[in-house]
Amino acid sequence: MGAHHEPPAELSTRVKAIESLLIERGYFAAEALDKIVQIHEHELGPRNGAKVVARAWADQDYKKWLLTDATAAIADMGYSGAQGEDMVVVENTPDVHNLVVCTLCSCYPWPTLGLPPTWYKAPPYRARAVIDPRGVMKEFGLDVPEDVEVRVWDSNAELRYLVMPMRPAGTEGFSEEELANLVTRDSMIGVAVALSPSAV
Amino acid sequence: MPTITPEQIPDLVRKGASCRVDAALEPLFKTGDKIRALNINPATHTRLPRYIRGKEGVIDRDHGVFVFPDTQAEMKGAKPQHVYSVRFTAQELWGADAPQKDSLYIDLFEDYMEKT
């Protein structure tokens, strides 16, 4: 996936043209667009999702709520809004590993994970995550054992997905803050597992 | 349409804009139902990816009622309907060489499916 860090120049040009039109025709004040970018670059990001996962690891009742009504449970922590209006959280277990992709575009839960990484939006990931999820995960350094069921979630429609990774061993007695440090963006997409305490 | 100002943005981002519709529509499918995705090939907008068309799956859960993007994008109305998470085995999608245990879940609108 390493060769796909920058969006194509043609796409950037098209986005700039749309931005100019939105401003020139009076739909948006230019500063309003800056504000959208500012919020997504500085206020939203995977630390939000990490706090959700850490709370679920630490609190069984919260975990149950998160897995049955993710939208409400995440709203309880204040991470609701655009591209997180309708949420589903899927749990990794010793028997099931979950992986999220949007094959049709780049649907992604912004309030909990921020903006998607470029590889998530790029055609190679979007095409291969569904037909060869194990091969893709291997490229990220994750070898899922054969006896574990891989579930791919194509978030092609209205729902947005967050993976709840397994709580690492050796974290008994950790505070929610310490637990959150082990939850990476990639582990909530499913291309990685949570960090072990010795890795932090 | 009035110009959107910077002051309005935090609230817009926080509230979002769900396409969920508050309508008590009878669902056509229920959890456990076996379905086949229709083999349709619209030239216009759709959220039914090509690799699912014609494939057989099982309804996993009902997410509730949402605006139908295919008609909405064409200015032909919201056509609200239930959206379901549908499970397809990897072997159904990719053939006998795919891992036997693996699966794919995708959210499908009622108009994309028929019972088998």
Side-chain angles (χ1 to χ4, degrees):
Chain A
M1 304 282 129
H4 303 277
H5 288 300
E6 295 299 327
E10 190 194 339
L11 193 62
S12 302
T13 310
R14 194 189 302 172
V15 170
K16 282 202 179 92
I18 294 171
E19 180 180 334
S20 301
L21 282 170
L22 286 171
I23 295 166
E24 281 166 24
R25 305 226 170 146
Y27 292 109
F28 271 87
E31 299 77 17
L33 289 175
D34 294 342
K35 184 71 188 168
I36 294 174
V37 172
Q38 186 201 325
I39 289 173
H40 288 96
E41 284 188 345
H42 300 292
E43 293 174 30
L44 304 178
R47 295 296 85 212
N48 292 353
K51 286 178 196 158
V52 172
V53 170
R55 182 172 166 196
W57 281 348
D59 176 348
Q60 285 302 305
D61 289 337
Y62 183 73
K63 175 179 157 182
K64 209 173 155 194
W65 187 21
L66 187 65
L67 294 176
T68 48
D69 187 356
T71 307
I74 291 170
D76 188 61
M77 300 200 57
Y79 308 134
S80 301
Q83 291 302 312
E85 294 94 342
D86 297 283
M87 289 291 300
V88 174
V89 173
V90 289
E91 181 190 15
N92 283 351
T93 69
D95 302 317
V96 175
H97 182 88
N98 296 284
L99 177 72
V100 180
V101 62
C102 174
T103 56
L104 292 181
C105 45
S106 54
C107 297
Y108 193 73
W110 294 0
T112 39
L113 290 189
L115 296 176
T118 303
W119 56 259
Y120 183 89
K121 300 183 277 186
Y125 178 76
R126 287 160 44 199
R128 292 184 50 225
V130 285
I131 192 168
D132 183 22
R134 289 172 182 271
V136 168
M137 290 188 284
K138 248 183 212 142
E139 287 170 24
F140 279 90
L142 178 60
D143 205 349
V144 179
E146 252 176 59
D147 60 340
V148 172
E149 176 189 341
V150 170
R151 288 185 186 165
V152 179
W153 298 82
D154 187 349
S155 62
N156 63 314
E158 306 309 321
L159 288 297
R160 298 291 171 268
Y161 289 86
L162 186 77
V163 175
M164 180 179 154
M166 278 195 285
R167 180 172 173 162
T171 56
E172 298 74 16
F174 273 38
S175 69
E176 277 186 36
E177 202 185 330
E178 289 170 316
L179 289 171
N181 288 334
L182 306 176
V183 185
T184 62
R185 176 195 71 195
D186 287 3
S187 74
M188 292 181 281
I189 299 173
V191 294
V193 294
L195 300 173
S196 77
S198 57
V200 192
Chain B
M1 195 172 142
T3 303
I4 292 173
T5 64
E7 294 71 34
Q8 291 171 279
I9 295 298
D11 218 37
L12 288 173
V13 170
R14 207 164 25 239
K15 284 194 185 134
S18 178
C19 290
R20 191 181 282 282
V21 178
D22 189 15
L25 291 175
E26 230 11 74
L28 289 183
F29 306 103
K30 59 179 191 305
T31 300
D33 281 355
K34 291 181 176 160
I35 63 91
R36 182 184 300 111
L38 300 182
N39 182 11
I40 50 170
N41 293 275
T44 48
H45 184 75
T46 183
R47 304 305 295 179
L48 175 64
R50 213 163 284 264
Y51 75 92
I52 293 294
R53 297 173 192 171
K55 303 295 184 184
E56 293 185 13
V58 177
I59 303 279
D60 180 65
R61 69 183 99 165
D62 183 346
H63 288 306
V65 178
F66 291 84
V67 168
F68 187 47
D70 300 42
T71 48
Q72 182 80 350
E74 291 295 302
M75 311 279 193
K76 287 176 181 164
K79 209 180 178 193
Q81 53 191 275
H82 284 259
V83 173
Y84 307 83
S85 178
V86 186
R87 181 179 193 272
F88 294 86
T89 64
Q91 292 194 337
E92 167 70 6
L93 297 176
W94 314 114
D97 290 342
Q100 193 258 329
K101 271 191 150 185
D102 293 358
S103 59
L104 178 127
Y105 290 71
I106 185 166
D107 296 323
L108 297 180
F109 288 81
E110 277 178 347
D111 274 18
Y112 297 156
M113 297 185 279
E114 61 187 357
K115 262 185 200 161
T116 60

